[in-house]
Amino acid sequence: MTITVQQTLQQLLSDVYTTAPGAAWLPHYFEANPQLEGREQLEMLKQAQLQAIANQDFEENSPSPEPRFFPGSGALMSRVQQLFQQDPGLPGMVVYAADAPLLTRGIPEDEWDEPGADQEEANQWLGKPGYAAVAMIFLRENLPVPEPVSTQEVSQDAYTPYWEKQQHYGDERWGRVPLQWQDTLAQLPVLAELRLGEQATIVHKQLLPMTRQIHTLFDNALVNAGLRDYPFSSDDKDEAKDQAESIAWLVHNSGDVDVGGTRLAAVSSALQQYAVPLNPIDDASNCVREWGDVGSARSVLQVAVAVVHSARLAAPAVLTEFDRQGDTEHFSVALIRPQEQSA
């Protein structure tokens, strides 16, 4: 499994660096796979990044890989914001994930074998074993326009040893991204704005109490996304600021049709209370059915899918995520808004 995932990560990062070479100097945060030993994962990530860097033309001042595990738990956008808050000098980051439960479970030894009852239940909730690799680049808002590469740097003798060259990074807010690669990040189109989500433990799994709990989370997520006015006084309320009806897509992992009906019904009821016009079947991505069980890559994948649909429709998308751990269920909801301007 490790070799296959490593090769996939190598190709994934090579694609990222080809599109935006400056991303190679940003911190890389990987969504850890709890099924693998930590040091083994970090070594796999380092080797994949080294090979991806070797495939690029970075000359002598190539970046030094220092992969890290994506810290925290819960909604991805909250974890990204925490990293930016903890390091004010951080210009951006690469968040990536890859997993392949298809290679580790659910494959019968014989083509006539059938999965056991436990496996069948897991497949209904999580999807049949699949695989996914996904990466996203997050940049801090209001990064300075990169300085033009100086004439002195351009005219340097190509045969000058790299230890004699003076590396210029320009504005310190770009961190360790070299000046000549900063523009490759600054020119990236900003696909979406990820707003802070809301999350909670589902106390009751019956439809009505679950709907009420999800409704509260959705209400707070709308406020976070600026799609709902929440004034101090009802007299100050501006109805024009209530824009929940602009939401055009739903991304969720409620489960297969045999088990996920209550979850999806609760989400749909909460959306209907705010007159969100989308159809929860036709205007939605059920990651369980579309991608199957992608293991530790699920959360990053769901965010990426929501970003793609928000950008495609030029409209907000709502992201709902269920996380079942034993008898405990967690639920989160967040809004993704399209970005109209480039970086």
Side-chain angles (χ1 to χ4, degrees):
M1 173 187 176
T2 303
I3 296 177
T4 303
V5 173
Q6 179 176 323
Q7 293 172 340
T8 302
L9 283 169
Q10 175 187 322
Q11 183 59 55
L12 177 69
L13 293 175
S14 293
D15 292 343
V16 171
Y17 302 159
T18 300
T19 303
W25 279 268
L26 296 176
H28 287 44
Y29 292 98
F30 182 75
E31 187 73 283
N33 185 338
Q35 305 301 321
L36 296 178
E37 197 272 330
R39 286 173 295 182
E40 177 185 348
Q41 287 187 75
L42 290 175
E43 181 60 26
M44 174 189 70
L45 300 174
K46 183 176 181 179
Q47 293 305 317
Q49 192 174 353
L50 280 171
Q51 188 58 53
I53 291 171
N55 294 337
Q56 308 300 316
D57 185 18
F58 288 141
E59 301 176 347
E60 298 91 348
N61 60 333
S62 60
S64 300
E66 294 182 5
R68 313 166 192 178
F69 290 132
F70 194 24
S73 60
L76 181 143
M77 46 281 292
S78 300
R79 298 160 70 186
V80 168
Q81 186 189 59
Q82 289 172 2
L83 286 171
F84 277 127
Q85 290 174 339
Q86 291 169 3
D87 186 354
L90 183 66
M93 68 188 75
V94 176
V95 176
Y96 63 126
D99 201 358
L102 180 66
L103 302 180
T104 57
R105 71 170 182 83
I107 302 179
E109 294 182 1
D110 186 270
E111 62 178 335
W112 300 109
D113 291 345
E114 295 183 358
D118 292 344
Q119 188 60 65
E120 284 285 4
E121 182 181 4
N123 290 348
Q124 288 178 319
W125 285 109
L126 303 175
K128 294 181 179 179
Y131 58 92
V134 58
M136 289 182 289
I137 298 174
F138 292 89
L139 296 177
R140 187 182 294 276
E141 289 184 327
N142 302 319
L143 283 173
V145 176
E147 300 176 14
V149 179
S150 68
T151 305
Q152 179 182 1
E153 290 181 39
V154 172
S155 61
Q156 276 184 329
D157 190 337
Y159 295 98
T160 301
Y162 71 89
W163 59 84
E164 294 184 7
K165 293 182 179 179
Q166 293 184 352
Q167 184 64 41
H168 180 52
Y169 292 94
D171 195 297
E172 63 180 7
R173 286 172 289 181
W174 277 103
R176 299 300 297 173
V177 180
L179 185 61
Q180 67 266 37
W181 301 116
Q182 291 172 11
D183 200 52
T184 65
L185 293 173
Q187 294 301 319
L188 284 175
V190 180
L191 298 179
E193 297 177 1
L194 277 63
R195 298 302 181 94
L196 285 180
E198 298 288 329
Q199 55 189 348
T201 300
I202 295 179
V203 180
H204 302 288
K205 300 181 181 180
Q206 294 78 17
L207 179 59
L208 289 180
M210 185 185 294
T211 299
R212 286 193 291 268
Q213 189 173 12
I214 290 177
H215 175 274
T216 300
L217 296 182
F218 182 55
D219 182 86
N220 293 336
L222 286 172
V223 175
N224 294 344
L227 296 178
R228 175 166 165 74
D229 192 25
Y230 204 80
F232 291 104
S233 170
S234 58
D235 296 334
D236 300 329
K237 185 173 179 59
D238 185 355
E239 298 293 344
K241 294 182 179 180
D242 289 342
Q243 301 177 31
E245 70 279 358
S246 65
I247 298 173
W249 200 261
L250 167 68
V251 177
H252 67 93
N253 66 322
S254 295
D256 213 335
V257 291
D258 295 336
V259 296
T262 300
R263 288 176 167 183
L264 187 56
V267 172
S268 300
S269 297
L271 296 177
Q272 289 173 3
Q273 292 189 46
Y274 287 98
V276 177
L278 63 82
N279 183 307
I281 302 299
D282 298 333
D283 303 324
S285 299
N286 183 347
C287 291
V288 170
R289 293 180 62 83
E290 294 180 10
W291 291 87
D293 182 9
V294 296
S296 58
R298 184 197 67 206
S299 183
V300 182
L301 173 65
Q302 283 194 241
V303 175
V305 170
V307 166
V308 168
H309 284 290
S310 178
R312 174 181 66 87
L313 297 168
V318 58
L319 168 63
T320 64
E321 184 173 2
F322 292 88
D323 185 15
R324 188 184 186 191
Q325 300 177 354
D327 295 331
T328 304
E329 279 190 17
H330 302 278
F331 175 80
S332 65
V333 56
L335 274 297
I336 288 83
R337 299 189 59 170
Q339 176 72 17
E340 297 179 355
Q341 300 177 349
S342 61

